[in-house]
Amino acid sequence: MRTSQPQTIYLSDYKVPAYLVDTVDLRFELFEDGARVHSTLELRRNPESDEVSAPLELDGDSLTLESVALDGAQLAAGDYEDRGDQLVVRSVPEQFTLTVVTWIEPQNNTRLEGLYKSSGMFCTQCEAEGFRCITFFPDRPDVMARFRTRSNGNDVERGELENGRHFVTWEDPFPKPCYLFALVAGDLVEKRDTFTTCSARDIDLRMYVEPRNAEKCDHAMDSLKRSMRWDEEVYGREYDLDIFMIVAVDDFNMGAMENKGLNIFNSSCVLASQETATDLAFQRIEAIVAHEYFHNWSGNRVTCRDWFQLSLKEGFTVFRDSQFSADMGSPTVKRIEDVTLLRTAQFAEDGGPMAHPVRPASYMEISNFYTLTIYEKGAEVVRMIHTLLGPDLFRKGSDLYFERHDGQAVTTDDFVKAMEDASGRDLRQFRLWYEQAGTPVLNVSDDYDADKGVYRLTIEQSIPDTPGQTNKKPQHIPFALGLLGQDGQPLPLKLGAGEADAPTERGLELTEATHSFEFHGIESRPVPSLLRHFSAPVRVRYAWSREQLLFLMSHDPDGFNRWDAGQRLAVDVIQSLVGAPDDAEIEPRLVEAYRKLISDTELDQALVAKMLQLPSEAYLAIHRARDAVLRHLAGALKAELIACYQRHQGGGPYEVTPEAIARRSLRNTALAWLLMIDDQEGRELAVSQLSAADNMTDRMGALRALVNSGFESDRQQALDEFYDRFKDDPQVVEQWFSVQAASDQAGQLPDIQRLLEHPAFDWKNPNKIRSVVGAFAGQNLAAFHNPDGSGYEFLADQVCRLDDSNPQIAARLVTPLTRWRKFAPSYSARMKSALERIRDKSGLSRDVYEVVHKSLAD
Ligand code: 0A1
Ligand code: ZN
């Protein structure tokens, strides 16, 4: 627990480490009541450091120091200083061996950083600064050492599993930062497979899971093999060790962790079976397995110099996993999913009190910076480099980056430099994407000169102020566009009057505050298709008419922009209904557009499924008007919805293919809409789907529809039966919790309180906390924003409670309250006072302190 005010760490204070570590020898003695860690470090002064007489300072956290020896001789108490968060040895030679013995208590570690116990299994999480909870060490990513680990006095050969002892450990031939260290020990079963690399090396693939999960490994294993092949084919990256291991643990703060050769996963991000995992979970697992695997090159072989460079590995790796997912399924659908996340969550972050650049300049607690900005916006920044360079030069750039920096700890600037050097492009202005926070706004206007046949497009960019940053410079923005003629045909984009063979799509580049582009030979006023494929993470403002949006919805050759036009139309209609009387007319053209979509069997059904999803409440921050539109659409389109449901029923045995996923998604959307209006036929379909389902997507689709309906007795019965059937499966119980907590029908505050008291709820398990408290505050907007402020007070209570046991999770849960300034006064005053109550809790963790203080700052 913190006693003093947290310090701010600045990028501008970066100094190379005063000491380097060549090797780390770790010996763990694991007991029921604690663990003893013997750490032997070979250290030397860093020749690149100018701090020639600096004392040796090692980081520590929650450690009990038992002994320190220098070159084999025990140090007396006066020879070193144990400051709790640091072990300082004032006088050390140029090169020496230090042996430190510490005692830790994994069984009491509820923060889930360092070494802890999950379901009786020992496991570790060292990123970002968890290694210091295991032993004293220079816990920073630019100190790279060779690690060797033993346990309970038994030498364990590299990668060998000791039969009967159920112990997994690792000796790594590649020097690595300590945040990539991992150890797992427990009563686990092993699943094996092999992968033959492009140079014909056989890699042993192994998954370790609790015995009850033995049948849920196939999908992750297949995903791993696909990822390994893809990284060879697309990036020329071959796996470098003989063994690759994946472990599933139930208690984990994040999704997964890329420890070298031993990836550790949150069970919910790796285990799947047809009966227990939804399509969404299958897709998420494939993406996360790929993400962690890709880190082997983008993160492990080439790592970060300091934590300000976090997006170096995360932005690049998210870009890589998203390319991979696009290649495995539908690129358009994947793009829609990525952009939806970016717009709903990252844009909100970028416009809130925690806004920070992709490469932050300061932080208090690095765990708070595993954000959508670092990950998703960071990936968009890499995507823009890919767009500007084109695939071939980008590949040349990534080859150069890996070759130049293999085995090093580097910066985002080194990454951009490699891209520049390989391509010959000047990315100086582009670097502002890493330095300036905030979502750029592009104001687009146009005019058409019929006499000259010239269409002019003017684009102005501005970047809003964010905490600590004002008066920003224009950024380098790739802007893809097309123009459609009145018949819906794409027009050639002639930038000069005489240009022949002009393309119908262009990638413009914006570098100034204002640009004008003139397109020649245009015979009638065109409809612009702007920012195709979402070529940059910006907001586009253009005065679209509803006719133009309807036109784009059915004619744009860019699938992404078709979807986007539908979203903009729905947003426009919903927004125009805010504050309108209950019987206000709802745009009939929206109804007709959806009617056409539901019945369209020609268009890619995966795209149709996406287009039928209205923009989320989280995106709109509007509940009532959205609800009204949904109900109106459902009422008007009932016959089409039932036909669509029936059309997509059956379809053969369960498969996880894009076509089958689209079919299930369409059917379940139709069901959800029918139950929004408490339709009897819909109710019967849901009840029979629930009992006949052979997979979790259909089961959950029917359960969710019933839970969100007004059919109270069916809802309760369905929930009870579902729980009874799956109560022994924690991943399914998590879904059962969240479907209720996110529902405005079943997730009122007293219901949420009951869920917290449910025997399956566990305050030590982050997934359970997220599935109840997180789902309530993040997805159940109507209940969370109860005008009496009870939702806010509830969240404040839970944050205060968790602050002591798991500060990382507590800090993440605060997020919805940090947006208080965006709400009307009666709400914002209550949100603010909930934040103030958290601020005033005694002994507040650094994690929560940073978020709350930044949110309340003027
Ligand atoms: N590097 C991991 C994410 C991660 C970060 C922090 C963690 O513990 C606090 C755990 C995992 C990834 O990007 O997958
Ligand atoms: Zn990552």
Side-chain angles (χ1 to χ4, degrees):
M1 199 186 301
R2 191 184 57 79
T3 46
S4 58
Q5 190 159 318
Q7 299 294 302
T8 299
I9 322 272
Y10 295 93
L11 167 60
S12 54
D13 288 343
Y14 175 82
K15 282 198 209 127
V16 298
Y19 293 87
L20 300 176
V21 183
D22 291 320
T23 64
V24 185
D25 199 293
L26 293 170
R27 186 159 61 84
F28 286 83
E29 293 179 87
L30 305 173
F31 307 103
E32 283 300 312
D33 64 341
R36 181 166 290 113
V37 185
H38 303 254
S39 159
T40 302
L41 311 178
E42 283 179 19
L43 291 132
R44 62 190 158 90
R45 281 186 196 276
N46 181 0
E48 281 168 31
S49 167
D50 51 18
E51 298 174 281
V52 282
S53 54
L56 174 71
E57 293 174 343
L58 304 179
D59 303 298
D61 186 349
S62 318
L63 303 171
T64 303
L65 180 64
E66 293 193 338
S67 66
V68 190
L70 201 147
D71 288 330
Q74 290 295 328
L75 293 186
D79 298 336
Y80 63 88
E81 191 186 344
D82 176 5
R83 298 184 184 156
D85 62 350
Q86 262 188 343
L87 172 65
V88 183
V89 187
R90 293 231 157 260
S91 157
V92 290
E94 280 294 304
Q95 189 159 2
F96 55 100
T97 302
L98 194 78
T99 304
V100 180
V101 182
T102 47
W103 175 257
I104 53 178
E105 295 187 349
Q107 76 282 5
N108 297 327
N109 179 349
T110 55
R111 285 162 52 190
L112 315 185
E113 293 175 81
L115 179 64
Y116 63 93
K117 270 185 135 174
S118 172
S119 316
M121 158 191 349
F122 286 93
C123 62
T124 54
Q125 174 51 43
C126 295
E127 187 178 6
E129 297 180 335
F131 193 72
R132 65 184 66 185
C133 306
I134 296 176
T135 182
F136 285 103
F137 197 80
D139 190 357
R140 44 188 289 170
D142 55 355
V143 172
M144 298 169 83
R146 274 202 310 281
F147 280 71
R148 171 179 150 87
T149 310
R150 292 170 291 163
S151 169
N152 289 3
N154 295 311
D155 279 21
V156 182
E157 288 303 308
R158 182 160 91 75
E160 278 301 300
L161 182 77
E162 269 193 14
N163 278 332
R165 291 190 45 79
H166 309 293
F167 196 89
V168 180
T169 188
W170 193 243
E171 179 177 325
D172 195 339
F174 294 94
K176 69 181 171 201
C178 64
Y179 82 86
L180 289 172
F181 167 81
L183 174 144
V184 174
D187 190 7
L188 304 173
V189 293
E190 182 190 55
K191 289 275 166 178
R192 282 191 181 226
D193 210 324
T194 52
F195 176 81
T196 306
T197 71
C198 50
S199 69
R201 290 172 41 242
D202 282 336
I203 313 294
D204 235 331
L205 307 179
R206 305 177 185 182
M207 279 184 73
Y208 295 98
V209 298
E210 288 176 51
R212 64 188 162 85
N213 292 321
E215 302 313 311
K216 291 185 172 185
C217 297
D218 293 352
H219 179 62
M221 191 66 98
D222 290 343
S223 303
L224 175 62
K225 288 187 281 183
R226 285 194 289 274
S227 309
M228 296 178 88
R229 185 65 69 219
W230 187 91
D231 212 15
E232 292 183 344
E233 287 172 0
V234 179
Y235 280 87
R237 300 292 115 201
E238 185 182 357
Y239 186 61
D240 51 7
L241 295 167
D242 298 334
I243 303 169
F244 186 85
M245 299 186 274
I246 285 180
V247 181
V249 303
D250 283 350
D251 305 295
F252 202 74
N253 280 347
M254 310 280 267
M257 179 62 211
E258 70 263 24
N259 315 300
K260 183 83 187 184
L262 176 52
N263 289 0
I264 299 181
F265 278 68
N266 185 322
S267 297
S268 72
C269 296
V270 67
L271 303 174
S273 70
Q274 170 180 342
E275 291 76 26
T276 62
T278 60
D279 291 341
L280 206 71
F282 271 91
Q283 289 173 312
R284 192 180 62 213
I285 289 165
E286 180 179 67
I288 299 181
V289 167
H291 179 97
E292 305 311 330
Y293 174 73
F294 296 156
H295 266 316
N296 189 54
W297 276 95
S298 49
N300 301 0
R301 291 287 289 249
V302 183
T303 194
C304 302
R305 185 192 75 173
D306 54 72
W307 292 120
F308 298 100
Q309 318 299 329
L310 183 56
S311 198
L312 172 81
K313 72 179 178 81
E314 297 305 347
F316 188 23
T317 305
V318 172
F319 173 65
R320 278 151 54 68
D321 81 56
S322 133
Q323 283 182 301
F324 166 77
S325 298
D327 284 353
M328 296 301 118
S330 150
T332 302
V333 167
K334 174 62 179 158
R335 191 70 190 129
I336 290 170
E337 288 164 354
D338 288 352
V339 172
T340 302
L341 176 63
L342 198 77
R343 277 183 179 160
T344 26
Q346 196 279 325
F347 282 15
E349 184 171 276
D350 235 353
M354 286 293 287
H356 54 275
V358 169
R359 189 195 61 202
S362 69
Y363 61 78
M364 286 181 185
E365 169 53 61
I366 187 57
S367 302
N368 288 332
F369 284 76
Y370 287 79
T371 60
L372 289 136
T373 301
I374 300 296
Y375 277 69
E376 324 305 327
K377 186 175 181 180
E380 292 296 320
V381 170
V382 176
R383 175 183 297 277
M384 288 188 285
I385 298 179
H386 185 272
T387 303
L388 291 169
L389 268 56
D392 295 343
L393 288 177
F394 183 87
R395 170 64 197 270
K396 241 179 108 187
S398 69
D399 283 351
L400 178 61
Y401 167 73
F402 288 126
E403 185 195 309
R404 191 182 268 179
H405 298 297
D406 191 8
Q408 297 178 2
V410 304
T411 64
T412 54
D413 212 50
D414 293 320
F415 178 80
V416 178
K417 185 83 172 61
M419 290 291 164
E420 273 179 328
D421 290 351
S423 67
R425 286 224 44 170
D426 178 350
L427 297 174
R428 268 175 299 181
Q429 184 186 8
F430 186 85
R431 282 177 171 78
L432 289 171
W433 280 105
Y434 288 94
E435 291 158 29
Q436 298 188 152
T439 307
V441 176
L442 300 183
N443 277 308
V444 181
S445 56
D446 56 354
D447 61 71
Y448 175 62
D449 184 333
D451 295 337
K452 295 196 184 124
V454 171
Y455 176 72
R456 188 165 60 228
L457 208 57
T458 303
I459 308 177
E460 283 174 353
Q461 67 160 297
S462 61
I463 306 171
D465 291 348
T466 46
Q469 285 190 336
T470 53
N471 295 325
K472 295 174 202 183
K473 298 185 194 132
Q475 290 180 182
H476 185 175
I477 300 176
F479 188 92
L481 95 162
L483 297 177
L484 302 188
Q486 280 177 347
D487 56 357
Q489 285 307 304
L491 302 175
L493 305 177
K494 299 182 192 167
L495 282 169
E499 195 180 348
D501 293 332
T504 55
E505 177 172 310
R506 276 190 185 271
L508 305 175
E509 294 188 25
L510 313 178
T511 51
E512 311 282 331
T514 307
H515 283 270
S516 267
F517 300 95
E518 289 192 346
F519 300 97
H520 296 257
I522 308 282
E523 281 163 15
S524 58
R525 182 178 260 283
V527 176
S529 165
L530 305 172
L531 200 76
R532 280 194 171 160
H533 336 289
F534 203 71
S535 59
V538 300
R539 290 181 203 270
V540 173
R541 301 231 170 98
Y542 172 77
W544 277 284
S545 66
R546 289 187 181 174
E547 288 80 50
Q548 284 179 316
L549 293 173
L550 287 158
F551 183 85
L552 291 170
M553 251 178 109
S554 47
H555 291 108
D556 202 317
D558 178 33
F560 175 83
N561 266 8
R562 267 189 186 218
W563 167 83
D564 196 35
Q567 295 286 296
R568 286 179 193 275
L569 180 65
V571 171
D572 187 40
V573 171
I574 292 168
Q575 276 172 346
S576 69
L577 287 171
V578 174
D582 283 351
D583 57 357
E585 196 205 23
I586 290 174
E587 172 65 84
R589 288 173 298 178
L590 182 73
V591 181
E592 290 322 304
Y594 274 79
R595 193 189 305 283
K596 210 170 114 195
L597 267 177
I598 297 175
S599 317
D600 192 335
T601 49
E602 298 292 298
L603 199 59
D604 174 8
Q605 296 296 289
L607 183 58
V608 173
K610 285 287 165 207
M611 291 186 79
L612 285 177
Q613 313 282 326
L614 283 194
S616 70
E617 280 185 44
Y619 177 62
L620 291 162
I622 298 171
H623 175 72
R624 249 186 89 229
R626 178 181 185 274
D627 225 48
V629 170
L630 249 180
R631 283 176 210 279
H632 181 80
L633 285 171
L637 302 174
K638 190 183 148 182
E640 286 82 357
L641 289 169
I642 290 176
C644 168
Y645 183 92
Q646 280 158 351
R647 199 167 58 242
H648 293 293
Q649 222 166 0
Y654 179 82
E655 280 182 313
V656 190
T657 58
E659 300 72 36
I661 292 172
R663 232 182 17 247
R664 285 188 287 271
S665 165
L666 279 170
R667 188 173 56 211
N668 285 315
T669 302
L671 201 58
W673 286 27
L674 289 167
L675 278 123
M676 286 285 298
I677 50 167
D678 293 345
D679 178 75
Q680 276 302 336
E681 229 171 309
R683 171 194 182 187
E684 281 154 30
L685 291 174
V687 170
S688 63
Q689 177 171 318
L690 194 55
S691 62
D694 68 350
N695 66 83
M696 185 49 83
T697 306
D698 286 337
R699 197 179 291 281
M700 194 39 91
L703 180 70
R704 177 170 289 114
L706 284 169
V707 166
N708 289 326
S709 77
F711 299 120
E712 213 176 315
S713 65
D714 295 287
R715 174 204 309 163
Q716 206 44 56
Q717 193 184 343
L719 281 169
D720 292 347
E721 286 174 9
F722 185 98
Y723 181 75
D724 221 47
R725 185 178 184 123
F726 292 107
K727 58 181 177 302
D728 297 326
D729 189 312
Q731 283 84 58
V732 183
V733 174
E734 282 157 26
Q735 300 176 59
W736 180 81
F737 274 129
S738 70
V739 75
Q740 297 174 76
S743 160
D744 59 354
Q745 298 286 332
Q748 294 305 306
L749 202 46
D751 306 312
I752 303 296
Q753 297 282 10
R754 262 196 303 282
L755 294 180
L756 294 183
E757 280 151 29
H758 193 278
F761 189 81
D762 177 2
W763 281 106
K764 294 209 176 73
N765 180 261
N767 293 4
K768 297 288 185 331
I769 298 165
R770 277 187 282 258
S771 67
V772 178
V773 186
F776 170 72
Q779 294 169 52
N780 192 351
L781 299 202
F784 177 61
H785 294 287
N786 189 319
D788 66 8
S790 55
Y792 310 147
E793 292 305 319
F794 167 81
L795 185 59
D797 288 343
Q798 313 320 319
V799 169
C800 290
R801 163 179 199 147
L802 279 164
D803 183 57
D804 295 322
S805 57
N806 191 330
Q808 281 186 12
I809 298 295
R812 279 176 187 270
L813 286 177
V814 183
T815 308
L817 286 174
T818 66
R819 310 277 147 80
W820 63 278
R821 282 192 170 87
K822 307 266 183 223
F823 289 82
S826 64
Y827 292 90
S828 69
R830 290 189 163 89
M831 294 172 89
K832 183 172 180 229
S833 88
L835 278 171
E836 286 165 345
R837 193 153 65 78
I838 303 174
R839 178 194 62 196
D840 296 339
K841 172 188 173 277
S842 70
L844 201 61
S845 67
R846 186 165 56 211
D847 308 59
V848 176
Y849 179 101
E850 176 171 35
V851 176
V852 170
H853 278 256
K854 288 185 174 171
S855 306
L856 290 170
D858 294 325

